Amino acid sequence: MEINKIIKLIENFAPLESQEGWDCSGWIISFEKDVKKIMLCLSVTQKIIEQALKKNCDMIISHHPLFSVPLEFNKQIPIYCAHTNLDKAQGGTTD
């Protein structure tokens, strides 16, 4: 599936406009890619990135934005975050 179609599905359910002003939901690392396998996680860590690459995932979707930037990102994998926008969505994480 095209990566932009996946993001459109997420953002139709949990629009970025609904995130809190302090939040950093959305793209962390973005580039066009065909996606067949996605790693879902609560928070992105170096171990999550390594696991996703080891399992041949094409994308990571996390709930939490990055808590620290010094992760040694291997920019071979796109990362998207849906945090307070997903919390607020009807049927979202806090509904």
Side-chain angles (χ1 to χ4, degrees):
M1 179 180 250
E2 291 177 30
I3 201 165
N4 289 329
K5 289 183 180 179
I6 295 167
I7 299 311
K8 187 173 182 172
L9 288 170
I10 294 169
E11 291 180 357
N12 282 342
F13 180 76
L16 282 178
E17 298 80 33
S18 67
Q19 73 180 303
E20 292 293 326
W22 50 263
D23 196 10
C24 301
S25 291
W27 283 110
I28 297 170
I29 296 176
S30 169
F31 54 88
E32 292 294 319
K33 188 171 189 176
D34 191 44
V35 176
K36 294 183 178 88
K37 192 172 183 181
I38 299 172
M39 167 77 66
L40 297 175
C41 65
L42 183 60
S43 301
V44 177
T45 64
Q46 186 63 37
K47 286 187 178 190
I48 290 292
I49 294 170
E50 291 167 5
Q51 183 180 10
L53 292 170
K54 184 177 179 181
K55 294 184 176 285
N56 297 314
C57 294
D58 303 303
M59 178 180 191
I60 297 172
I61 298 175
S62 71
H63 180 60
H64 292 138
L66 292 180
F67 291 118
S68 63
V69 179
L71 294 173
E72 305 239 348
F73 282 123
N74 182 332
K75 296 188 178 182
Q76 295 176 351
I77 188 162
I79 302 173
Y80 185 87
C81 163
H83 187 221
T84 56
N85 57 320
L86 185 60
D87 288 341
K88 291 180 174 183
Q90 177 117 16
T93 54
T94 59
D95 187 9

